[in-house]
Structures are given as structure tokens and as C-alpha cells.
Amino acid sequence: MEPILSVEGISKKFGGTKVVDDISFQVDKGEIMGILGPNGAGKSTTIRSIMGIIYPDSGSIKFNIKNTSKIVPIEKIGYLPEERGLYKNVKVMDVLMYLVDLKNYPKTRAKKRMYEYLEKFDLKGKEKAKIEELSKGMAQKVQFMASILHEPELLILDEPFSGLDPVSQDVFREEIIELAKAGTSILLSSHQMNLVEALCNRIFLINKGKKVIYGGLNEIKESYANFKCTINGVFNGLDLLALPYVDKVEGDESKKIIYFKPNASINTFINEISQNIEVNELHIDRISLHDIFVGIAKGGISNE
Amino acid sequence: MSNTMKVAFWEVKKNVTNKSFLISILLTPIIMVIFGGLPSLLSMLEYNQTHTLYVKDEIGIYQELGQYLNQEEIKTVEYNGTLEELKSEGDHKRTSFILLDEEIMEQQQINIHALDDSRPPTNSIRNALNRIVQNRKMEALGLSSEEIKEVDTNILVNIITVKGEEEDFVRKIIPAIFAAMIYFTIFFSGAMTFQSSTQEKKDKMVEILLSSVKPVDLMQGKIIGCFILGMIQVFVWLILGIPIAYFILNIPVIQLLAIKELPLMLFYALAGYLLYSSIFVSLGATIEDVQSQGNFQGMIFLLPMLPIFFFGPIIANPHGVVAKIGSYFPFSTPGVMLLRLSLANSVPVFDIIISIIIIVVTTFFVMKLAGKLFKTAILMYGKNATPQEILKWLKY
């Protein structure tokens, strides 16, 4: 796949602390790439560096977008910042047309697209309303529109789902999938794993400014997501940690969650416990991205 | 169209379609007229009333007194009763009573008995009586009534400057008003750039904008946009003001404005605007909450008010030491030079050149620094910048 955006070894210091430390990744054409990480991990700083709003201390950012001579091809990039807001005292149409105009996008076409999206987002007839008259969810939809009206080739969404109600989350998610199908490359950041899991082709997991995991979602799941087993029952004093393929055990006397080491055989495990444990309930599944994420945020799982 | 101009026109559009801007355009001159004209109008209502003066004449000068008084101001009534009798006659409005007897001549003192709370026109009465007493004295010295008329003089004073031009109040006051108006506009447009920065920060618009525009374009756009708004204001005021001045007050404003100093005055106004607005727009970017916006605003808006300190001395002597200091201190240069140009017949060329150099150089550097400050401060969220931070960003 041809990359549309290449980030190579960027670092940024604020004061004495390194907020972003030697980060490299690519966004391929037509894919949805997710930057994941807990709050304060350096996601927004990375994105602001890409947008040219702040300058990284070192490293390079390259765009592979045709027909532009600019270092940051702003006309072909759409950006939804984490800090949400729009002029309060201004009409929806006016603010959208202003922002589209700053992207040098033809106004008549933008207007047509605006009406289409207003209808799609259930905001029909709101073009003359002032932003302050809209609900928070409506205003976020308008802001989302502002980032896509000019048909960007690369769409960068910083925490697109934060503060959205479930219905709006679905609207946004569907729209993001649709845009990607239409060929838009999307880079989104989030701290909500479940949403990213459902959307992204590849992810970049970042913590404390450093790379933790980078790669395709399935590969990551395979290499990191080991099995875990939840058992409700009577354990008869069995020391599960003594089993060589068990990584750790959580829970109390009646309910335990067993995390397995890589390459553990589930069959062996079932055979061994069946004699000692009176099982009431048993689940075996792979660790979700959420567990990986929480583990990383707590400093439990290392990237090596 | 460049992004700077797009931002500028957006600022204009956003404000022109805003009712409060339109109201303030119309309201400001009305308020100024009310505050400037109403007090004198109101006092005219009171002072132009005729005062009734009851005169009990014991020395035969009633007729003469009447000659020396303006009957529209003071209506004299000859009265033969006493003050007590007059009082008992009932309610008196704007009325007083005097007794003319030999005592006036001897002691040169008279009591005016006011019959109500209004103030008797003592000046006019004193002047009239002075003349009568003077006439009596001159008669006593043996002068004839013709000779007395000869003695009576009234000198008219006109100021003619060395350069031979006659001082003309109107010729000076119109450019001065114009200069004040421009300065006023600087003030308000500057305030607008300040608010525009703070507002965009509060509305969290900055990041979206900066993903499309460079910070320096955004800042310049704001400065230009607010300048256009200011000019719209001046234009509206002139459109309304010139016909009023011409047809009602009979002042040919356009001819009076077409003086050779006008381009210079406009230059100082523009330089002053650029200087102040770049300070305002960048400091506005350091502020986030409304309360400190108010406090801060009050403080930095004292800057364009600086020339007020120089007003008195400059009016007394437009080329004195104070005037020169005011002209050379960049933050007061525009105001002081506008004042000097409108007050004096000609300002020394040396002062003009030096002050132009000072203001151009200062504005250049202030705008550069403001750009640096703006760039960093506009992206700060969550708190106001501290003075230390502002200093640090200026050094970047």
C-alpha cells in the first residue's frame, strides 16, 4: 500500500518533559489508522505536529498528496480537533462556508454538499440557525461537517467520539466507514478501545509519548491477545499459578480470571482442572484490545 | 484571495451582521452629542429665562439702570413698597428686589434680595450699577455727558500669530474633532481585535482555523478586518455628520478638512492603530476567561489614553518640551502628534521626521513580537498566560 502520510521519528518536548518521543508511523491510502493511548499519552501533540500547528523538535512529516506544492497540503486535509467549539454567535452556514473558503474549495459545490450532509445528519433546515441555538451533539455534527465538506484526501480526527451520545457515535462511525470506502484515508485518535477495534485497519498504541504497539489489528490481537478464562465454581485450594502456562490469576474464592501465557494449550488446561474444580460457569476467550490497553496504561504489559 | 484577506473579511462580515455593532455605530455619536450638548442645552433652558427685578429707587437712577440692562435678561419693575410688602404679595418666581439709595454711592455695595431659590444675574446688575456710579463720579469731576460717552471704551481682543494667519476657532476645531474621531476609532477597533482573539479562544475555534491558516495570517487578518470595521464606523459618522454640520450648524466640514496636514494625520492614526492593535490582538490571545478579560482590558486600554497626560501642556504650548517628549515616546506619538497637528499652525519638520521614524520602527518591532506571542498564546488552553510565560514566548 502506498502511504499518504509518513511520520518519521518525531519528538517534542514541553518544558523538560518529552511529550512525544521518537514516534514513526504511516497512514496508507484508503485505510483507517488509529492512534490509541490513555489521556496524556501524546496523541494530540502528534496530531497537532502533523497539522503543522506545532513544530516537532526533531523528525519529519511527509505527505504524499498530488497537485500541491505546500509542505502541509491543508486543502486536502480535514481536521477535527480534540477541543470542540465553533463561533457561538454565527450561523451554521456562515461558519461552514468560511472554513471551506479557507481551504480554497469552490463555494457552490460546498453549499451543495452542506445541504446533503445537513440532511444526512438530521440537521435539515438548521443552516440559518446560530451555533449557540444548537444542542451540543448538533454542534459536534456541524464541526464534523466542517472537517469533511472540502472532500479531503486525508482526514484527521482527534478523539472524534468523545462527548458523543451513543446515537451520534453510530452516525459518526458509519460516516467514517463510508468515507474510507470512498477512498479517504483516515487517521483517528481515541482512548475508547471498543470503537477503534470496530473501525481501524491498523493501530498505533502510544503511552507516555512512546510507541507501544504498531501494526495491523489482527496481528496485534494474535501476538498480544492471549487466552483468558473466567471460572465460577469451587476451586478446592488448587494453586492455578503453579501451572506453567498460567501468567496471572485474579479474583476471589468463588470466581477467578486466569490469564494464559502465549502458546498455552487450552485443551491441556481443561484436562488438568477438570478433576479438581467444580465448575459452575466457564468462559474462554481472547483478551480484548481493551485489556491490552488497560494493561499498558497501568504499566503491566511491556512492548517487548 | 489570500488567507489574510479572507480572515479580514470574515471579521468584517461577522461584526457587520451583528446587531450590537450596528447599534454601537449609531449610538456612539448620539451618546457623544448627548453628553457634549445636553448640559449646555439644559443650562440654556434655565439661563435664558427672564429675571424680574423690583427696584425701589430713592436716588432717581431707575431709567438709567434700565438702559444698561438687557431687558430680555432682566425685566425691571419700579416698585414703591418695601421688601416685606413685596414678599407678602405671594409667590415670586425668578424675582429679586433691590433698594437704590445714597448708600450705593458712598459704600459701593448693594444687597440683592432674591425672592426665590433662583440665582439673580448679579454680573449684569453689577456692571450696570458700576457704570452708573462711574458716570456720577465723572459728572462730579465736571465732565459733560458727551465727554463721558467718549471715555466709555470696549476693547475687542483678536490674536494674530507671527506667521500672519488669523486664529480661527472653527478652522482648528474641525481637524481636531476629526483627529479625535480617528483616535476614538483606533481605540474601538483595537478593542475589537482584543475581543476577537479572546473570543476565538473561548469558542475553541483556534485549532480549526490554524489547520487552514498560518498564525501570522490569522493575526494580520484580524488587524486588517478590525481596521476596515473602524473605517466603516468613521465613514458612517462622516456621512451622518457632514450634512448635519453643513446644513444645521453651517460648517463647511469638507473644506475645513482638506488641509495640508490631513495625510500626515491619517498616517499617524494608521501607525497608531497598527501599534496598538497588534499589542491588543496578541495580548487578547493570552486570555481565556471573561473576568480577567475585563481586568486586563481595562489595564492595557490605558495605553492609547497616554496622550491625555500631555493634553494640558500641549494646548498651552504645542511645541514645548512636554509636546516633544510626547511626540518621541512611541506609545503616545500618534495621539500627541494628532493633537499638535490640529492645534498648531505648523509643526517643526524635524519633529515630524523623528516621530515618523520612531513610530515606524516601534510598530515594526512590536508587530514582530506580537506575532511570536500570538502564535504561542493562541493555542494555550485551560488557563491564562502568566507574565513570565508571556516574556518567555517573546524570546522564542
Side-chain angles (χ1 to χ4, degrees):
Chain A
M1 268 293 220
E2 204 185 345
I4 190 166
L5 166 71
S6 314
V7 176
E8 276 159 37
I10 60 162
S11 298
K12 178 77 185 173
K13 256 189 193 172
F14 284 133
T17 43
K18 261 198 171 169
V19 183
V20 172
D21 190 357
D22 194 23
I23 295 294
S24 306
F25 61 85
Q26 291 181 348
V27 178
D28 291 336
K29 286 197 171 162
E31 76 162 344
I32 305 177
M33 156 91 183
I35 302 183
L36 290 171
N39 292 327
K43 300 186 297 285
S44 290
T45 308
T46 307
I47 285 177
R48 285 180 180 175
S49 303
I50 294 168
M51 291 311 300
I53 292 169
I54 55 175
Y55 298 105
D57 301 328
S58 58
S60 74
I61 291 157
K62 286 197 190 86
F63 295 91
N64 179 19
I65 291 172
K66 283 184 192 97
N67 301 327
T68 174
S69 55
K70 289 180 187 163
I71 302 162
V72 180
I74 48 158
E75 287 100 341
K76 294 291 174 191
I77 303 180
Y79 176 47
L80 180 72
E82 185 186 7
E83 293 275 358
R84 296 300 151 72
L86 283 172
Y87 295 108
K88 294 194 175 53
N89 200 13
V90 177
K91 287 177 193 150
V92 170
M93 182 157 86
D94 289 350
V95 70
L96 285 174
M97 289 303 114
Y98 172 51
L99 293 172
V100 160
D101 190 28
L102 287 177
K103 297 277 188 192
N104 294 319
Y105 188 80
K107 271 197 172 175
T108 41
R109 190 142 175 213
K111 216 170 242 181
K112 199 175 144 255
R113 277 173 65 77
M114 180 191 77
Y115 284 116
E116 282 167 20
Y117 270 105
L118 283 173
E119 196 161 354
K120 198 172 193 175
F121 286 168
D122 217 7
L123 290 169
K124 204 180 171 187
K126 294 282 185 196
E127 67 271 12
K128 294 244 164 69
K130 288 190 173 168
I131 304 287
E132 60 192 355
E133 294 161 8
L134 301 180
S135 72
K136 201 179 156 199
M138 287 176 178
Q140 287 194 330
K141 284 177 184 170
V142 173
Q143 207 184 7
F144 186 73
M145 282 171 66
S147 66
I148 55 173
L149 272 192
H150 61 289
E151 297 183 80
E153 287 181 29
L154 175 62
L155 178 59
I156 296 178
L157 307 166
D158 199 354
E159 298 278 359
F161 303 108
S162 73
L164 286 181
D165 61 69
V167 181
S168 306
Q169 268 186 13
D170 284 347
V171 173
F172 274 40
R173 196 173 54 211
E174 272 159 38
E175 185 53 37
I176 290 169
I177 292 169
E178 214 166 292
L179 285 165
K181 270 187 194 154
T184 313
S185 315
I186 297 165
L187 174 67
L188 62 86
S189 84
S190 182
H191 63 271
Q192 285 151 292
M193 292 311 213
N194 50 341
L195 289 164
V196 172
E197 225 173 332
L199 267 178
C200 296
N201 308 99
R202 294 192 307 134
I203 59 163
F204 187 97
L205 198 50
I206 181 173
N207 190 35
K208 291 179 186 157
K210 288 189 174 140
K211 182 187 102 171
V212 182
I213 310 171
Y214 172 45
L217 200 61
N218 294 332
E219 294 132 53
I220 289 171
K221 274 193 158 182
E222 268 170 35
S223 57
Y224 280 87
N226 305 316
F227 286 104
K228 75 171 181 186
C229 177
T230 312
I231 301 174
N232 252 330
V234 184
F235 292 89
N236 299 323
L238 179 71
D239 186 9
L240 290 164
L241 270 175
L243 300 171
Y245 43 81
V246 170
D247 188 35
K248 65 172 177 172
V249 178
E250 285 173 3
D252 51 37
E253 276 310 304
S254 61
K255 184 184 176 184
K256 288 191 194 293
I257 304 168
I258 303 136
Y259 295 87
F260 296 96
K261 286 180 181 165
N263 310 319
S265 160
I266 296 299
N267 284 347
T268 319
F269 171 69
I270 291 172
N271 282 334
E272 281 194 40
I273 63 163
S274 58
Q275 288 127 36
N276 300 316
I277 302 175
E278 292 162 37
V279 175
N280 293 332
E281 215 178 298
L282 183 145
H283 305 275
I284 295 176
D285 48 29
R286 283 189 181 274
I287 298 175
S288 70
L289 212 50
H290 180 82
D291 295 315
I292 301 178
F293 180 77
V294 171
I296 286 164
K298 284 180 181 166
I301 299 174
S302 75
N303 58 335
E304 296 307 326
Chain B
M1 192 164 46
S2 75
N3 277 341
T4 305
M5 289 319 286
K6 281 180 191 166
V7 174
F9 282 123
W10 170 252
E11 287 291 328
V12 173
K13 187 183 175 190
K14 202 172 59 168
N15 279 291
V16 166
T17 52
N18 192 335
K19 283 186 206 92
S20 63
F21 175 78
L22 296 176
I23 291 170
S24 87
I25 276 196
L26 295 177
L27 223 54
T28 312
I30 293 173
I31 289 172
M32 275 162 70
V33 167
I34 288 174
F35 275 87
L38 202 61
S40 51
L41 198 73
L42 287 177
S43 58
M44 260 158 69
L45 279 179
E46 273 306 311
Y47 283 112
N48 280 0
Q49 300 275 355
T50 310
H51 191 89
T52 311
L53 183 66
Y54 284 84
V55 184
K56 186 170 187 191
D57 184 18
E58 290 180 353
I59 49 174
I61 57 170
Y62 175 75
Q63 288 297 331
E64 209 177 343
L65 180 71
Q67 280 170 27
Y68 287 123
L69 286 175
N70 179 354
Q71 287 296 319
E72 274 177 29
E73 189 192 358
I74 301 166
K75 194 180 111 205
T76 48
V77 177
E78 192 158 22
Y79 189 73
N80 286 323
T82 61
L83 176 63
E84 272 64 37
E85 282 166 357
L86 185 63
K87 270 192 207 164
S88 64
E89 272 176 27
D91 247 8
H92 292 282
K93 282 207 173 115
R94 292 192 192 82
T95 304
S96 47
F97 170 87
I98 50 171
L99 173 66
L100 302 175
D101 54 12
E102 285 302 332
E103 229 172 276
I104 310 169
M105 298 296 170
E106 287 156 17
Q107 296 184 358
Q108 298 181 3
Q109 185 180 326
I110 191 165
N111 296 326
I112 302 176
H113 304 275
L115 282 116
D116 67 339
D117 287 336
S118 72
R119 192 180 151 78
T122 47
N123 270 346
S124 307
I125 296 171
R126 187 181 59 220
N127 286 345
L129 287 173
N130 268 344
R131 288 189 127 163
I132 294 169
V133 174
Q134 274 170 9
N135 289 352
R136 283 297 114 77
K137 282 182 177 170
M138 285 190 275
E139 275 169 21
L141 289 171
L143 297 181
S144 69
S145 56
E146 281 77 31
E147 283 169 322
I148 290 170
K149 269 189 188 143
E150 275 297 303
V151 173
D152 196 7
T153 39
N154 191 2
I155 289 181
L156 262 167
V157 181
N158 294 316
I159 302 170
I160 315 276
T161 61
V162 204
K163 297 201 170 77
E165 289 175 47
E166 198 169 335
E167 288 273 326
D168 184 346
F169 182 67
V170 177
R171 195 199 76 82
K172 278 191 162 176
I173 202 76
I174 292 295
I177 289 176
F178 186 64
M181 198 163 80
I182 292 176
Y183 207 72
F184 203 59
T185 314
I186 291 178
F187 194 73
F188 274 96
S189 311
M192 264 191 273
T193 63
F194 182 86
Q195 275 159 357
S196 172
S197 289
T198 313
Q199 192 62 42
E200 239 155 49
K201 212 172 161 177
K202 250 189 325 211
D203 289 348
K204 308 242 158 74
M205 266 312 283
V206 182
E207 236 180 300
I208 301 182
L209 293 172
L210 289 186
S211 70
S212 306
V213 225
K214 288 197 214 95
V216 70
D217 288 340
L218 186 61
M219 186 175 116
Q220 284 171 357
K222 281 180 189 301
I223 291 175
I224 295 171
C226 292
F227 180 73
I228 297 173
L229 282 169
M231 287 302 104
I232 291 174
Q233 252 175 348
V234 172
F235 192 69
V236 170
W237 292 345
L238 285 180
I239 295 269
L240 295 176
I242 289 176
I244 291 174
Y246 190 77
F247 291 112
I248 299 175
L249 302 172
N250 226 344
I251 305 170
V253 177
I254 297 176
Q255 283 98 306
L256 288 167
L257 273 181
I259 51 171
K260 58 183 189 303
E261 289 94 347
L262 189 68
L264 253 183
M265 290 166 101
L266 292 176
F267 169 80
Y268 283 113
L270 183 65
Y273 172 73
L274 288 176
L275 180 65
Y276 298 132
S277 63
S278 47
I279 294 175
F280 290 165
V281 76
S282 58
L283 286 181
T286 66
I287 302 287
E288 189 150 17
D289 64 295
V290 187
Q291 200 184 354
S292 30
Q293 182 188 351
N295 296 339
F296 210 40
Q297 211 166 346
M299 237 155 52
I300 60 168
F301 285 168
L302 283 177
L303 206 58
M305 289 302 189
L306 215 57
I308 288 178
F309 296 119
F310 300 100
F311 266 24
I314 291 172
I315 289 168
N317 182 2
H319 308 307
V321 180
V322 176
K324 282 195 194 301
I325 292 172
S327 309
Y328 296 161
F329 182 63
F331 294 105
S332 62
T333 303
V336 168
M337 285 307 287
L338 280 175
L339 192 65
R340 285 179 74 183
L341 284 170
S342 53
L343 282 182
N345 280 316
S346 71
V347 176
V349 178
F350 179 77
D351 278 10
I352 293 175
I353 291 172
I354 292 289
S355 64
I356 285 178
I357 292 171
I358 287 175
I359 190 87
V360 166
V361 170
T362 311
T363 306
F364 178 78
F365 281 109
V366 165
M367 282 186 86
K368 284 220 128 182
L369 284 177
K372 284 180 178 181
L373 179 58
F374 184 85
K375 200 169 70 183
T376 317
I378 196 85
L379 275 174
M380 280 262 302
Y381 287 120
K383 71 183 197 71
N384 301 322
T386 62
Q388 288 92 325
E389 280 169 326
I390 292 177
L391 276 176
K392 200 177 84 190
W393 296 336
L394 286 177
K395 284 185 203 150
Y396 276 153

